[in-house]
């Protein structure tokens, strides 16, 4: 039977489902730490859709000086994230406690409050019916002009003769990672997700107030972008 992602099995199952998941947070934090605004000591950084805390753990480890705000509407995810950070002794580390908020980014009213932001595997779950635009607009608004967002998301590939091979490879990755029902898992994973292509993403981020997205990494259909808020 295909696994259902819940707050309690999330960390194990997501690593079996998503190629490169173990490196996503590390890479996302490294990219933001090299950005013009968030490279400064004590920068304010937003983690939008923090889930069980992967990006927060990595941020605390790489940049203990960052002032972190962690936001997620799901209280169960926030609880797991807080426990993980506390277990690692990282919640109150160095520059101060993390500012935890149970909320969507759209509800967060913090204009130009952040030097940088991370959003990993969140946009993909929002429908392209205005919800994606509202999410991206809220993120752009929360950043100072010139601030960058590292956006990691499942993308819809352009039709290509290699697509069938990519899908086979994804199944192979999941089986090799220990998922016994890989085909069902891939199917279940795609239910409720709304991946878009690069042209649509570009149009949405431009409308939201960002410059064109710069692709910085890709593992099968999971892609990482750097987005800069227009000055
Ligand atoms: C697939 S999880 C990713 C969690 C984490 N970033 C990671 O990579 O492991 C997506 C998270 O986004 C949160 N989320 C969904 N809609 C959101 C929104 N509008 N604003 C902020 N977080 C949201 C969900 O509650 C969930 O915890």
């Amino acid at each position: 039977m295909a696994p259902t992602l819940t707050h309690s099995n999330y960390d194990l199952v997501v690593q079996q489902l998503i190629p490169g998941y173990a490196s996503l947070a590390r890479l996302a934090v490294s990219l933001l730490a090299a950005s013009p605004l968030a490279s400064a000591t004590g920068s304010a950084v937003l983690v939008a859709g923090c889930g069980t805390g992967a990006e927060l753990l990595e941020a605390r480890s790489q940049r203990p000086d960052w002032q972190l705000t962690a936001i997620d509407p799901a209280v169960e995810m926030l609880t797991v994230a807080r426990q993980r950070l506390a277990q690692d002794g990282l919640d109150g580390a160095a520059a101060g406690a993390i500012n935890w908020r149970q909320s969507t980014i759209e509800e967060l009213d913090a204009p130009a409050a952040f030097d940088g932001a991370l959003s990993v595997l969140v946009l993909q779950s929002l429908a392209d019916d205005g919800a994606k635009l509202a999410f991206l607009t809220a993120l752009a608004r929360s950043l100072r002009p010139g601030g960058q967002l590292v956006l990691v998301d499942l993308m819809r590939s352009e039709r290509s003769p290699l697509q069938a091979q990519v899908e086979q490879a994804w199944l192979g990755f999941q089986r090799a990672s220990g998922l016994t029902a890989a085909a069902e898992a891939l199917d279940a994973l795609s239910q409720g997700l709304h991946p878009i292509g690069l042209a649509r993403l570009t149009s949405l981020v431009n409308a939201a107030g960002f410059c064109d997205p710069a692709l910085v990494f890709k593992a099968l259909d999971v892609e990482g972008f750097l987005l800069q808020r227009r000055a």
Side-chain angles (χ1 to χ4, degrees):
M1 229 188 41
T4 309
L5 269 180
T6 68
H7 64 282
S8 52
N9 72 4
Y10 180 85
D11 295 314
L12 173 68
V13 174
V14 78
Q15 292 194 47
Q16 298 173 315
L17 286 170
I18 307 286
Y21 178 78
S23 296
L24 288 184
R26 180 154 300 173
L27 201 45
V29 169
S30 310
L31 281 159
L32 191 64
S35 71
L37 297 190
S39 55
T41 303
S43 296
V45 169
L46 172 68
V47 180
C50 68
T52 57
E55 299 93 89
L56 293 167
L57 281 168
E58 195 56 43
R60 273 303 200 207
S61 162
Q62 287 191 43
R63 291 297 303 264
D65 60 293
W66 275 353
Q67 306 286 331
L68 292 170
T69 295
I71 168 168
D72 201 294
V75 69
E76 303 85 1
M77 295 297 242
L78 282 175
T79 302
V80 175
R82 293 185 79 137
Q83 283 165 355
R84 281 177 86 192
L85 271 283
Q87 260 163 23
D88 283 34
L90 292 172
D91 188 5
I98 294 171
N99 177 21
W100 298 95
R101 297 282 299 264
Q102 189 201 343
S103 167
T104 64
I105 180 67
E106 299 87 321
E107 292 161 345
L108 181 78
D109 187 22
F114 299 99
D115 300 296
L118 302 164
S119 183
V120 179
L121 306 177
V122 184
L123 184 72
Q124 60 190 30
S125 62
L126 304 176
D128 192 8
D129 59 358
K132 282 187 195 293
L133 180 59
F135 179 81
L136 290 164
T137 302
L139 276 171
R141 201 176 49 228
S142 74
L143 286 169
R144 288 172 52 204
Q148 290 186 356
L149 163 69
V150 181
L151 179 80
V152 182
D153 223 39
L154 179 72
M155 298 292 288
R156 195 184 61 227
S157 306
E158 305 307 326
R159 281 182 190 278
S160 129
L162 293 178
Q163 192 53 30
Q165 187 176 345
V166 169
E167 279 167 25
Q168 277 306 308
W170 202 326
L171 289 176
F173 169 87
Q174 294 181 339
R175 283 195 205 97
S177 304
L179 267 189
T180 45
E184 291 92 329
L186 195 57
D187 203 39
L189 178 71
S190 57
Q191 306 280 317
L193 295 185
H194 309 277
I196 53 176
L198 179 60
R200 180 65 183 148
L201 180 69
T202 303
S203 147
L204 284 172
V205 303
N206 288 162
F210 290 104
C211 303
D212 284 354
L215 179 67
V216 281
F217 62 83
K218 175 169 168 62
L220 300 182
D221 292 340
V222 177
E223 300 186 7
F225 297 93
L226 269 179
L227 304 179
Q228 183 155 323
R229 183 184 163 174
R230 279 195 297 266

